[in-house]
């Protein structure tokens, strides 16, 4: 029964939509590559049959819109047929981006939690700092990414750290805001109970506020890790194409290598899905073990 | 009950002031008299604020001492770039501590029922912002941080005032063309697809998980593709914005359409209302908070999308273009000017949406007093 509902409510609709997307992608590839192909054929003086023409639109070296199988082929070639540490491998580039993402995410989460604890305990910080944190959510923070990169490289800091800092910057906001909400989520009743136990602030924090904030923590971490990945990718743009998913995008855009761009995009998406899924699974596991309510 | 109420901010300020007295004068152009006046003002402010006075008097004393000292310290920097000594920074720290004390006194004990709290709710963050600017200005100019690393706020302000035409042109290119068009088209498309998907349960079941997944993806990466497809001008940026704003709107509208209660829906059925009547009269109303949530998320995403897409290629105008080229030329004051512009546009956009939301969803419990 459960399986039947899963197939009917999830697998079937999602599968259908994905199938439609792939079909639409093929149609778009044909439609968008056809003008260029017609032009090439006319110059070469060949008149292909319509099936030959269809195949040709799907196998251009620099198509306007690469067909799905071309992208998959490129992904396959650049991940499984080359050594993972060679510069041609997407695994290598994904790893560069992933390492910046993870270190930035770790720093951002730690910073966000610390700020949230400060805000919950110091009223002056709550009144003066929290409005700025919330207001800064409305600002396109990513705009300062190039400046951070160039500045840090001017004072001799290059490589992983500048990108990680951008990720930190992007990921600490969701964590800070979510954790403030989470640390304030215990009922007044529970806080009063802690007071009757004559618990001090540290004990209340450890034994009540932090356990109560765990579901909020994982929810905001899911947002934060997606944001850190975006930060790391954008952080790779201004350094010029050195390494990483962002540099693959930039290199692809310089040389109009649409297949490479799509492959890099899909590699980035796979990394994003893996990261969010991991955080989600960890959250489910921890929440279940702690008997927490989902927010 | 003693007449003195010690607190650590004022005590620390006093210690810092006493230390500052050992290093007069503070900067190359700041005479001993002015330096001494700063120290005296700070010491007086620290001691007087610890007396058990009424709150208005205490806040006045703190405001005069901290901002008076800060103004004198700022004045002492003219023609003295990078000559500030330890005494200067000690008195700056003392002034900042008194400013912090002021914020603490204004915030009260954290209870939200204070009188005049709406004024305090604006004044406290404003004080915080002003102090960030003062510290930035004094530290950068006092310690002589190179201009190419971090320009002081005054230089950024001058640059904004001096290059209004450039900023206006960038604003027109990035915001009025790319962001606005992409935002409207993307949000509208997401909304319409959600209405359509809502009609057919199968479609909604398939689109919701996919939309949720897509909103976690680095969609910004489609920027180079759009630049190849639509050229360097604003159309490619608008296309990026359309794609980035589509999915949040789709997911939120779908969630919002499911938000109306069973009771209300049953009531509509007893009235004999058809699908579209229920949609317009009940479910869209109930979905409004979700739709506005998506509109707010999209306002930030749209600006980010347009600015980052310009890093991949533009005509020679636009906010993202200006940021990436001026960073390369080390004109950091121009970069900061663009960032300030982006921040203002972002907050105004968001604030406007918040006001509109208030007008449309006035019935929502979160606005009840």
């Amino acid at each position: 029964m459960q399986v039947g509902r899963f197939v009917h409510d999830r697998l079937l609709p999602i599968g259908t939509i994905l199938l439609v997307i792939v079909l639409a992608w093929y149609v778009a590839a044909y439609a968008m590559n056809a003008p260029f192909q017609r032009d090439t054929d006319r110059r070469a003086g060949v008149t292909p049959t319509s099936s030959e023409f269809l195949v040709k639109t799907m196998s251009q070296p620099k198509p306007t819109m690469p067909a799905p199988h071309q992208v998959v082929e490129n992904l396959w070639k650049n991940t499984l047929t080359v050594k993972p540490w060679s510069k041609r491998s997407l695994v290598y580039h994904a790893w560069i981006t992933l390492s910046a993402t993870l270190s930035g995410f770790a720093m951002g989460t730690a910073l966000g939690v610390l700020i949230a604890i400060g805000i919950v305990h110091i009223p002056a910080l709550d009144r003066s700092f929290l409005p700025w944190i919330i207001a800064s959510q409305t600002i396109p923070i990513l705009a300062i990414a190039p400046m951070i990169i160039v500045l840090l490289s001017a004072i001799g800091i290059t490589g992983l750290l500048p990108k990680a800092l951008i990720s930190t910057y992007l990921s600490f906001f969701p964590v800070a805001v979510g954790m403030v909400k989470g640390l304030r989520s215990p009922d007044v009743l529970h806080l009063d109970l802690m007071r009757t136990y004559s618990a001090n602030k540290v004990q209340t924090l450890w034994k009540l506020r932090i356990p109560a904030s765990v579901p909020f923590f994982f929810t905001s971490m899911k947002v934060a890790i997606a944001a850190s990945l975006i930060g790391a990718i954008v952080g790779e743009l201004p350094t010029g194409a050195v390494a990483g998913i962002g540099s693959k995008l930039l290199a692809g855009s310089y040389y109009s290598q649409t297949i490479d761009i799509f492959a890099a995009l899909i590699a980035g998406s796979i990394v994003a899905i893996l990261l969010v899924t991991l955080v989600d699974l960890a959250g489910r596991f921890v929440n279940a073990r702690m008997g927490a309510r989902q927010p | 009950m003693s007449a003195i109420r010690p607190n650590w901010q004022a005590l620390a300020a006093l210690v810092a002031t006493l230390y500052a007295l050992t290093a007069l004068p503070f900067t190359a152009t700041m005479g001993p008299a002015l330096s001494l006046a700063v120290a005296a003002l700070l010491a007086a402010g620290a001691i007087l604020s610890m007396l058990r006075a009424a709150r208005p008097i205490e806040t006045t004393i703190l405001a005069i001492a901290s901002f008076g000292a800060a103004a004198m310290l700022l004045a002492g920097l003219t023609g003295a770039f990078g000559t500030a000594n330890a005494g200067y920074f000690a008195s700056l720290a003392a002034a900042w501590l008194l400013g912090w004390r002021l914020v603490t006194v204004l915030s009260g004990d954290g209870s939200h029922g204070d009188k005049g709290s709406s004024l305090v709710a604006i004044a406290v963050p404003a004080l915080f912002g002003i102090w960030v600017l003062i510290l930035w200005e004094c530290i950068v100019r006092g310690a002589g941080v190179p201009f190419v690393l971090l320009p002081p706020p005054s230089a950024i302000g001058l640059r904004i005032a001096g290059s209004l035409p450039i900023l206006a042109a960038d604003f027109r290119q990035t915001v009025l063309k790319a962001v606005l068009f992409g935002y409207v088209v993307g949000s509208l498309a997401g909304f319409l697809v959600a209405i359509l998907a809502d009609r057919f349960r199968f479609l909604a079941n398939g689109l919701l998980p996919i939309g949720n997944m897509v909103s976690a993806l680095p969609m910004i990466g489609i920027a180079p593709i759009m630049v190849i497809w639509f050229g360097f001008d604003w159309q490619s940026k608008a296309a990026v914005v359309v794609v980035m704003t589509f999915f949040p709107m789709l997911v939120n509208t779908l969630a919002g359409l499911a938000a109306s209660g069973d009771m209300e829906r049953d009531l509509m059925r007893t009235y004999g209302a058809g699908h579209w009547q229920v949609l317009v009269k009940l479910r869209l109303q109930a979905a409004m908070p979700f739709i506005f949530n998506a509109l707010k998320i999209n306002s930030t995403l749209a600006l980010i999308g347009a600015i980052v897409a310009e890093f991949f290629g533009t005509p020679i105008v636009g906010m993202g273009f200006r940021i990436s080229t001026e960073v390369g030329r080390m004109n950091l004051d121009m970069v900061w000017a663009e960032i300030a512009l982006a921040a203002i546009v972002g907050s105004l956009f968001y604030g406007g949406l918040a006001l509109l939301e208030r007008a449309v969803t006035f019935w929502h419990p979160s606005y009840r007093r």
Side-chain angles (χ1 to χ4, degrees):
Chain A
M1 194 61 213
Q2 274 288 333
V3 176
R5 180 177 289 170
F6 176 77
V7 169
H8 188 263
D9 277 355
R10 292 233 131 191
L11 207 59
L12 215 57
I14 299 177
T16 314
I17 303 268
L18 286 178
L19 200 67
V20 169
I21 290 176
V22 171
L23 281 179
W25 190 344
Y26 268 112
V27 172
Y30 173 76
M32 293 173 74
N33 296 335
F36 177 77
Q37 193 59 43
R38 241 173 248 130
D39 210 35
T40 335
D41 284 349
R42 205 182 54 242
R43 277 172 212 208
V46 285
T47 41
T49 63
S50 48
S51 64
E52 272 172 8
F53 185 74
L54 182 69
V55 170
K56 274 185 177 173
T57 56
M58 301 287 167
S59 52
Q60 293 172 358
K62 283 187 183 184
T64 317
M65 176 77 163
H69 67 262
Q70 286 179 296
V71 178
V72 171
E73 197 186 307
N74 184 295
L75 266 176
W76 183 269
K77 197 181 74 195
N78 287 333
T79 49
L80 296 175
T81 60
V82 292
K83 292 192 189 83
W85 53 87
S86 93
K87 291 229 167 187
R88 280 172 53 211
S89 168
L90 269 174
V91 178
Y92 166 80
H93 290 286
W95 167 247
I96 298 280
T97 305
L98 186 66
S99 55
T101 305
L102 287 180
S103 39
F105 172 68
M107 290 192 285
T109 307
L111 191 66
V113 170
L114 283 182
I115 287 177
I117 290 176
I119 283 175
V120 169
H121 287 99
I122 305 172
L125 215 55
D126 175 27
R127 290 285 180 90
S128 62
F129 194 43
L130 193 60
W132 286 101
I133 290 196
I134 293 170
S136 63
Q137 299 261 40
T138 69
I139 295 169
I141 304 161
L142 225 48
I144 74 165
M147 192 174 59
I148 294 180
I149 299 285
V150 171
L151 280 190
L152 289 179
S153 73
I155 57 173
I157 302 172
T158 51
L160 183 76
L161 193 62
K163 290 187 280 175
L165 280 180
I166 294 172
S167 292
T168 307
Y169 198 47
L170 283 181
S171 60
F172 99 90
F173 287 118
V175 173
V177 173
M179 279 303 277
V180 167
K181 216 183 260 173
L183 290 173
R184 286 198 176 135
S185 65
D187 300 340
V188 181
L189 217 59
H190 295 151
L191 287 168
D192 282 347
L193 182 65
M194 291 307 275
R195 202 162 301 138
T196 62
Y197 291 159
S198 122
N200 58 26
K201 278 191 169 178
V202 178
Q203 284 167 326
T204 312
L205 180 70
W206 270 116
K207 292 182 198 271
L208 177 61
R209 288 188 187 272
I210 287 188
S213 71
V214 165
F216 292 84
F217 182 55
F218 281 101
T219 312
S220 45
M221 277 211 298
K222 270 200 279 185
V223 179
I225 202 155
S228 342
L229 181 65
I230 293 174
I233 290 178
V234 174
E236 282 159 357
L237 297 180
T239 51
V242 183
I245 301 274
S247 77
K248 286 294 275 186
L249 290 175
L250 198 64
S253 115
Y254 282 159
Y255 305 112
S256 297
Q257 296 280 13
T258 37
I259 303 182
D260 277 357
I261 299 179
F262 268 97
L265 201 54
I266 287 182
S269 304
I270 292 171
V271 172
I273 292 170
L274 281 180
L275 289 175
V276 175
T277 313
L278 269 180
V279 173
D280 190 44
L281 285 179
R284 272 164 205 258
F285 177 73
V286 172
N287 281 338
R289 286 299 294 267
M290 293 180 64
R293 285 174 298 186
Q294 295 287 339
Chain B
M1 220 165 108
S2 74
I4 288 185
R5 182 170 44 181
N7 60 75
W8 71 268
Q9 287 104 335
L11 287 176
L14 206 56
V15 171
T17 313
L18 289 178
Y19 172 75
L21 282 175
T22 63
L24 295 171
F26 294 154
T27 68
T29 57
M30 207 169 163
L34 186 59
S35 306
L36 207 59
V38 171
L41 182 63
L42 285 169
I47 293 167
L48 285 178
S49 74
M50 278 195 285
L51 296 178
R52 198 170 282 278
R55 229 176 78 170
I57 301 175
E58 193 180 354
T59 49
T60 317
I61 292 171
L62 284 169
I64 291 174
S66 60
F67 284 108
M72 283 195 263
L73 287 172
L74 275 175
L77 277 175
T78 31
F81 186 78
T83 59
N85 63 7
Y88 183 88
F89 290 111
S91 38
L92 183 64
W96 171 69
L97 282 165
L98 290 184
W100 187 351
R101 179 69 198 153
L102 175 62
V103 167
T104 311
V105 172
L106 279 178
S107 317
D109 56 358
S111 59
H112 284 257
D114 296 344
K115 267 190 183 172
S117 57
S118 65
L119 189 70
V120 168
I122 299 171
V124 169
L127 282 177
F128 184 86
I130 293 169
W131 268 106
V132 168
L133 289 183
I134 291 175
L135 289 177
W136 180 355
E137 179 86 24
C138 288
I139 292 174
V140 165
R141 278 171 61 195
V145 175
F147 193 79
V148 293
L149 278 188
L150 189 62
S154 56
I156 298 167
L158 281 179
R159 170 60 78 160
I160 292 177
S163 46
L164 282 177
I166 295 180
L167 290 173
D170 292 345
F171 173 77
R172 210 174 304 126
Q173 170 77 14
T174 304
V175 178
L176 293 187
K177 289 181 182 166
V179 169
L180 222 52
F181 179 84
Y183 180 79
V184 170
V185 171
S187 300
L188 206 62
F191 179 75
L192 291 178
V193 171
I195 297 283
L196 191 72
D198 177 67
R199 186 78 185 84
F200 308 101
R201 196 179 159 66
F202 185 77
L203 209 55
N205 278 341
L207 276 176
L208 199 58
I210 292 177
N212 270 325
M213 192 192 71
V214 169
S215 38
L217 300 184
M219 286 310 281
I220 199 79
I222 59 159
I225 299 164
M226 294 301 164
V227 170
I228 292 173
W229 284 357
F230 296 103
F232 276 2
D233 209 352
W234 64 270
Q235 288 87 347
S236 56
K237 282 79 201 172
V240 174
V241 176
V242 167
V243 176
M244 283 182 76
T245 53
F246 175 80
F247 287 100
M249 184 50 114
L250 174 70
V251 170
N252 274 289
T253 310
L254 276 176
L257 287 174
S260 59
D262 288 339
M263 290 277 270
E264 289 97 338
R265 264 185 255 189
D266 283 350
L267 180 66
M268 291 303 275
R269 196 162 306 135
T270 61
Y271 290 160
H275 174 82
W276 297 108
Q277 279 174 321
V278 179
L279 187 72
V280 172
K281 302 212 160 145
L282 169 66
R283 296 174 63 218
L284 273 181
Q285 308 289 330
M288 274 304 157
F290 292 81
I291 294 174
F292 271 100
N293 185 29
L295 285 175
K296 285 178 180 171
I297 296 172
N298 281 349
S299 72
T300 318
L301 280 181
L303 272 174
I304 289 178
I307 290 177
V308 174
E310 286 182 2
F311 296 164
F312 285 97
T314 41
I316 50 161
V317 62
M319 287 158 74
F321 163 80
R322 196 76 58 202
I323 288 173
S324 52
T325 48
E326 299 295 332
V327 158
R329 293 163 58 192
M330 286 289 175
N331 281 339
L332 282 204
D333 49 348
M334 192 66 211
V335 177
W336 278 103
E338 290 286 348
I339 289 170
L341 176 65
I344 292 168
V345 170
S347 356
L348 284 183
F349 203 167
Y350 193 92
L353 284 170
L355 284 181
L356 193 65
E357 179 180 21
R358 228 158 209 245
V360 173
T361 63
F362 58 91
W363 47 268
H364 197 262
S366 61
Y367 296 123
R368 268 183 220 146
R369 289 218 159 227

